[in-house]
Amino acid sequence: MNFSKVLTVLLLALYLTSCSNHKFVESSVDPSFPVPEKAELIMKEPSEEAKHIEKFAKYKQKNVQNGTHLYENFEEEIKAKGWKEIKTVESPKIRGFQKGDKIIYLTANRDNFQLIKLKDNTQWLE
């Protein structure tokens, strides 16, 4: 095998490794709830009508969700930080995660996601 082929294979392997190793940081809603490092916080305040919301954050992140599944490693990182998925309203777009007495709701579409903490851990209102 010549040097250029070896170099090409090594560079391809390095590229593929870097693509699959997403890094995570603390969310603005709860420091123990992770968000992708590259997610851009675009809104921190809910609408004025949403009086039942204690904390809110909307993040811009390309390809954050495919169908009802979060992108690679995001869901695994949430669970690795001790959050367990809980049964919420009958909507595939709203997912609840609980850690101790804290509940965070996550809604996502293709290019953004929102984290919502309701006042007094009240149930999600449809």
Side-chain angles (χ1 to χ4, degrees), residues 30-70:
D30 186 290
S32 70
F33 197 93
V35 295
E37 182 178 52
K38 293 182 179 182
E40 175 188 353
L41 180 62
I42 57 175
M43 188 184 306
K44 282 182 71 172
E45 300 295 326
S47 64
E48 289 188 25
E49 309 85 50
K51 305 225 183 281
H52 59 286
I53 294 177
E54 181 178 325
K55 291 187 176 183
F56 172 87
K58 183 175 185 176
Y59 293 88
K60 183 178 180 181
Q61 172 73 41
K62 288 190 175 189
N63 301 316
V64 74
Q65 181 168 310
N66 181 10
T68 60
H69 301 287
L70 298 174

Side-chain angles (χ1 to χ4, degrees):
M1 203 181 236
N2 66 30
F3 179 73
S4 64
K5 287 182 180 179
V6 171
L7 183 59
T8 302
V9 169
L10 288 174
L11 288 175
L12 180 60
L14 181 62
Y15 172 76
L16 292 174
T17 302
S18 68
C19 288
S20 65
N21 291 332
H22 298 286
K23 294 184 180 180
F24 297 88
V25 295
E26 299 175 349
S27 74
S28 64
V29 171
D30 186 290
S32 70
F33 197 93
V35 295
E37 182 178 52
K38 293 182 179 182
E40 175 188 353
L41 180 62
I42 57 175
M43 188 184 306
K44 282 182 71 172
E45 300 295 326
S47 64
E48 289 188 25
E49 309 85 50
K51 305 225 183 281
H52 59 286
I53 294 177
E54 181 178 325
K55 291 187 176 183
F56 172 87
K58 183 175 185 176
Y59 293 88
K60 183 178 180 181
Q61 172 73 41
K62 288 190 175 189
N63 301 316
V64 74
Q65 181 168 310
N66 181 10
T68 60
H69 301 287
L70 298 174
Y71 85 89
E72 183 180 349
N73 296 337
F74 190 14
E75 187 170 346
E76 289 84 2
E77 183 68 14
I78 292 169
K79 291 177 180 177
K81 295 292 184 185
W83 292 87
K84 297 188 184 328
E85 189 161 8
I86 59 171
K87 183 77 171 153
T88 61
V89 295
E90 296 295 325
S91 172
K93 294 186 178 200
I94 303 169
R95 299 177 68 183
F97 293 91
Q98 183 170 13
K99 182 176 184 179
D101 62 348
K102 299 184 279 186
I103 297 174
I104 303 288
Y105 292 95
L106 185 148
T107 65
N109 63 40
R110 185 175 172 88
D111 292 327
N112 66 64
F113 65 96
Q114 300 173 51
L115 299 179
I116 301 162
K117 182 177 188 294
L118 300 178
K119 291 181 179 175
D120 302 320
N121 285 328
T122 55
Q123 291 295 312
W124 184 272
L125 305 174
E126 289 193 79

